[in-house]
Amino acid sequence: KAGVTQTPRYLIKTRGQQVTLSCSPISGHRSVSWYQQTPGQGLQFLFEYFSETQRNKGNFPGRFSGRQFSNSRSEMNVSTLELGDSALYLCASSSTPDRAGELFFGEGSRLTVL
Amino acid sequence: AQSVTQLDSQVPVFEEAPVELRCNYSSSVSVYLFWYVQYPNQGLQLLLKYLSGSTLVKGINGFEAEFNKSQTSFHLRKPSVHISDTAEYFCAVTAPEYGNKLVFGAGTILRVKS
């Protein structure tokens, strides 16, 4: 069974630009969560989607948004990029939200903002 | 609110020695507790989880952890480590009502030396 796939793996943007990251969950998994990982703040929850609905949202500004499609694939978008948005963005899937915390992570998308 | 404190940022240990990685949590509600491992340039992998029941939980790769409610701790242990256990380990907490909104500790880097 294929794991969680994130694209692109690496990208470089400049301040003020916007970026879209994609995540394909494990086949059959309907819940997708996003986390940001930085050396300074560690791992922080961004949002969780299930059946195309946002179930939970972390404490991030409105520049961070996401969505989930009917095939469970998910995208997250960051607009008006700032230097502090440089991070590893991790997507994780689970079969349902009831499997709380039992997440399967992708390898991440490493974003560098110049 | 929930929080997790990992008491050691780095733990050096010789191969075949035992190791304990410490984790304390704070929560006003019942918790689910997890340990995840992250190898260099990879996503996170679930090592073990405590949802309910027996306070001693066994995970993959010979790791185990004990949930201690009175001390609000969930320390990770392995009786004999291998070089391949070198990685960063994250303790995480959530609650049934929070779904996959995990709160992670800052991580502990385990360095196994030969």
Side-chain angles (χ1 to χ4, degrees):
Chain A
K1 194 185 244 187
V4 177
T5 303
Q6 292 188 244
T7 57
R9 289 290 314 278
Y10 302 90
L11 65 165
I12 300 173
K13 295 284 188 178
T14 56
R15 280 181 299 174
Q17 287 187 311
Q18 66 94 26
V19 66
T20 299
L21 309 178
S22 179
C23 172
S24 293
I26 290 172
S27 177
H29 284 193
R30 296 167 60 198
S31 175
V32 173
S33 304
W34 289 89
Y35 288 81
Q36 182 196 62
Q37 185 175 25
T38 61
Q41 300 297 318
L43 282 153
Q44 294 186 284
F45 173 81
L46 281 158
F47 22 66
E48 178 193 3
Y49 289 88
F50 177 72
S51 292
E52 302 178 65
T53 301
Q54 187 179 88
R55 279 175 43 91
N56 276 305
K57 189 177 190 308
N59 191 26
F60 279 82
R63 300 184 297 106
F64 292 81
S65 63
R67 59 178 176 168
Q68 186 181 34
F69 302 96
S70 58
N71 62 358
S72 295
R73 192 176 69 84
S74 177
E75 288 181 348
M76 66 163 283
N77 183 277
V78 187
S79 63
T80 319
L81 284 166
E82 301 176 0
L83 295 179
D85 298 331
S86 294
L88 181 66
Y89 291 89
L90 292 164
C91 170
S93 74
S94 66
S95 53
T96 71
D98 294 337
R99 305 294 291 179
E102 297 183 50
L103 301 176
F104 293 82
F105 282 84
E107 293 186 318
S109 292
R110 185 168 295 280
L111 170 66
T112 301
V113 181
L114 302 175
Chain B
Q2 300 176 314
S3 66
V4 174
T5 302
Q6 291 185 241
L7 296 152
D8 306 293
S9 59
Q10 292 199 39
V11 173
V13 63
F14 283 103
E15 194 173 18
E16 297 183 10
V19 70
E20 178 179 81
L21 306 183
R22 297 179 293 168
C23 170
N24 285 93
Y25 69 91
S26 173
S27 177
S28 58
V29 298
S30 297
V31 295
Y32 295 156
L33 291 158
F34 306 84
W35 277 98
Y36 280 84
V37 60
Q38 185 175 34
Y39 299 101
N41 298 315
Q42 294 188 26
L44 281 72
Q45 180 184 8
L46 179 64
L47 270 181
L48 48 78
K49 60 186 183 287
Y50 171 79
L51 304 181
S52 64
S54 173
T55 57
L56 182 64
V57 292
K58 294 187 183 298
I60 62 171
N61 301 340
F63 285 93
E64 65 180 32
E66 185 154 20
F67 170 59
N68 188 317
K69 189 174 182 179
S70 62
Q71 297 187 7
T72 60
S73 68
F74 190 56
H75 300 333
L76 180 71
R77 291 189 278 264
K78 186 170 183 178
S80 175
V81 295
H82 304 289
I83 295 287
S84 59
D85 293 323
T86 296
E88 189 161 18
Y89 292 78
F90 294 92
C91 182
V93 65
T94 188
E97 55 266 45
Y98 297 147
N100 288 324
K101 185 176 180 180
L102 290 173
V103 174
F104 283 90
T108 298
I109 296 174
L110 175 64
R111 297 191 192 281
V112 181
K113 302 176 288 185
S114 58

